Amino acid sequence: MGHSRSRGSRREGVTRVSSQGVTVVALLADPDAPTEIARRLARTLPDRLAEKAGQGRRFEVRVVSEPFTAGTEDPPTLVRRIMDRARTEDWDIVVAITDLPLHVHGRKLVVELSHEHGIALLSLPTLGALRLQTRARRAVEEAVLALAAPQTTGTDGHPRSRPLGRFVSRLAPIHPGPVDEEEAADLRYVVGGPRGYLRVLLGMVRANRPWRLVPGLSKALAAALATGAVATVNSTVWSLSQALSTPRLVIATVGSVAIMIGWLIVDAELWHRSANARPEERKRTTLYNASTVLTVGIGVIVCYVGLLAVNLVWALFILNDKVFSTTTQNPLDATDYWTLSWFVASIATVGGALGSGLESDEAIRAAAFSKREQERRDMLQDEDDQSKS
């Protein structure tokens, strides 16, 4: 059962239905990934809600793309902002969706509901990185059905909120969270523990969409490809690749990838330093920096694999068996193509790190972070600049 707080201002048995007999559900989504998810949900959500609600209930789902988290990560502030926005519309229920990780009472917020106001706030990173669309659909469905259903009376005579059933599986590190009396929310779910931390971290990396880093590093990739092309026809590189053992090639790979990751983070100033010394803020900063390292790391590894494939094709096309044998005193075979391409990919990655200096910091940040995360970092940077001035 979820933790709920009684609300005397909402009469028991009242359901949220418009005058036309249709419950209007607004999916208020932050731009970029949350809006894309909301639009996919809206295609099937009305029929699924009607089927699960029964009793001839009908639902209309509207997607509204707005940066409702701009300037704040505080859930109570966001709920008040959503309430103010909903007053100007004919919405019966509002589900606000963001790709920012939200924290409340030292815990990472998954979803919170205000039955009195018909509002739900959902943080996508806490749903993890896998099957995000399915998990988001379940969370939204459960939230809407809970808000649309009448509250039941508990043993103490006060109305109780409907808990979110299928949304909270036994395997998920999600559990009910505390709600203060002065808060607008009356039902809250949070994640905790090491598994919850890992779930949020992977969800943040997914929200950043690290594969976008590849096209965002066009100049660095051009430098890497040029370095690889030259290294492939270098006789000294041929001899070195034959002399290197597999462990040394692995070390070269790890070292070149680490250099590229470190260079990008330092050069583009992606590392966040918090001036706030509170333990909670330090944990939050650590979480953001860990997601940065993973995001950039995945992007660099994708680039590395791409360079390896291109170098292998180039080597197959350009290398001559007689010239290679004369230089290395060994015949050219399939293993030589592979080891040479592997070694050259490491060399090219270091060349790409140097070439990344040609990219603008803004371009790298845009490729490495989600739109909400970019705005959050810009806001924190502005605050730090103001505090120093």
Side-chain angles (χ1 to χ4, degrees):
M1 296 291 290
H3 178 92
S4 61
R5 180 160 48 83
S6 62
R7 288 282 183 181
S9 59
R10 185 181 178 196
R11 290 186 294 108
E12 178 187 354
V14 174
T15 56
R16 296 183 179 275
V17 184
S18 66
S19 58
Q20 291 78 21
V22 178
T23 300
V24 179
V25 179
L27 301 182
L28 181 62
D30 266 333
D32 207 14
T35 296
E36 294 175 10
I37 290 175
R39 285 173 177 162
R40 286 195 291 266
L41 290 175
R43 297 170 188 167
T44 59
L45 194 57
D47 293 337
R48 294 181 63 90
L49 290 174
E51 179 183 353
K52 294 185 178 183
Q55 300 177 346
R57 295 288 298 276
R58 292 186 297 159
F59 294 83
E60 177 186 343
V61 177
R62 303 174 185 174
V63 177
V64 181
S65 180
E66 290 183 7
F68 70 93
T69 58
T72 183
E73 297 176 67
D74 180 50
T77 302
L78 292 176
V79 170
R80 289 193 296 269
R81 184 178 292 181
I82 298 165
M83 289 167 53
D84 293 339
R85 178 69 176 86
R87 289 192 186 101
T88 64
E89 304 289 345
D90 61 343
W91 304 334
D92 299 305
I93 294 173
V94 184
V95 180
I97 306 173
T98 181
D99 56 358
L100 276 182
L102 303 177
H103 299 73
V104 60
H105 299 308
R107 297 173 174 86
K108 300 167 186 65
L109 176 68
V110 181
V111 62
E112 69 176 28
L113 280 67
S114 172
H115 287 78
E116 179 182 1
H117 302 97
I119 290 174
L121 175 62
L122 173 65
S123 175
L124 292 176
T126 54
L127 301 181
L130 302 176
R131 301 172 62 232
L132 178 59
Q133 187 71 33
T134 300
R135 290 174 175 175
R137 174 177 55 77
R138 289 178 179 175
V140 172
E141 286 178 2
E142 288 290 330
V144 172
L145 292 173
L147 294 173
Q151 291 177 297
T152 58
T153 302
T155 56
D156 55 0
H158 294 293
R160 291 189 178 277
S161 305
R162 177 183 182 273
L164 308 187
R166 293 178 61 247
F167 168 63
V168 185
S169 67
R170 294 181 179 179
L171 298 178
I174 300 175
H175 53 82
V179 182
D180 293 339
E181 285 294 328
E182 64 273 11
E183 293 185 74
D186 51 45
L187 182 64
R188 174 177 292 148
Y189 286 89
V190 297
V191 294
R195 288 180 57 226
Y197 183 93
L198 180 61
R199 185 184 178 103
V200 174
L201 177 59
L202 295 178
M204 293 173 66
V205 173
R206 158 105 187 197
N208 287 336
R209 294 189 283 189
W211 51 88
R212 297 188 307 180
L213 192 64
V214 178
L217 294 176
S218 57
K219 294 183 178 65
L221 286 175
L225 290 172
T227 303
V230 173
T232 302
V233 297
N234 187 291
S235 58
T236 303
V237 175
W238 296 350
S239 300
L240 285 174
S241 66
Q242 285 203 324
L244 291 176
S245 61
T246 299
R248 287 178 178 270
L249 287 170
V250 172
I251 293 173
T253 298
V254 174
S256 62
V257 169
I259 290 173
M260 183 70 159
I261 294 172
W263 183 273
L264 287 174
I265 290 176
V266 173
D267 186 58
E269 299 181 352
L270 304 182
W271 195 259
H272 175 60
R273 295 179 177 84
S274 175
N276 196 320
R278 291 184 304 171
E280 180 178 341
E281 185 61 29
R282 287 202 300 268
K283 291 180 181 178
R284 185 179 303 186
T285 300
T286 301
L287 182 64
Y288 279 117
N289 286 332
S291 71
T292 298
V293 172
L294 281 178
T295 298
V296 176
I298 292 174
V300 170
I301 290 173
V302 171
C303 291
Y304 186 94
V305 172
L307 288 172
L308 178 59
V310 171
N311 290 331
L312 181 58
V313 172
W314 175 242
L316 290 170
F317 175 76
I318 203 70
L319 290 185
N320 181 276
D321 183 34
K322 292 182 179 180
V323 176
F324 188 91
S325 301
T326 302
T327 304
T328 63
Q329 306 302 316
N330 290 305
L332 180 63
D333 56 24
T335 303
D336 293 320
Y337 281 112
W338 170 252
T339 55
L340 176 61
S341 301
W342 188 357
F343 182 47
V344 168
S346 299
I347 298 173
T349 300
V350 176
L354 299 176
S356 67
L358 301 174
E359 307 280 0
S360 67
D361 294 348
E362 291 76 13
I364 295 177
R365 292 193 192 102
F369 299 129
S370 67
K371 189 175 183 64
R372 295 302 102 205
E373 176 65 1
Q374 292 176 57
E375 292 179 354
R376 187 195 73 85
R377 287 174 177 260
D378 291 341
M379 180 188 69
L380 292 175
Q381 184 63 45
D382 292 340
E383 292 177 354
D384 289 342
D385 293 340
Q386 292 176 3
S387 64
K388 293 177 181 178
S389 60

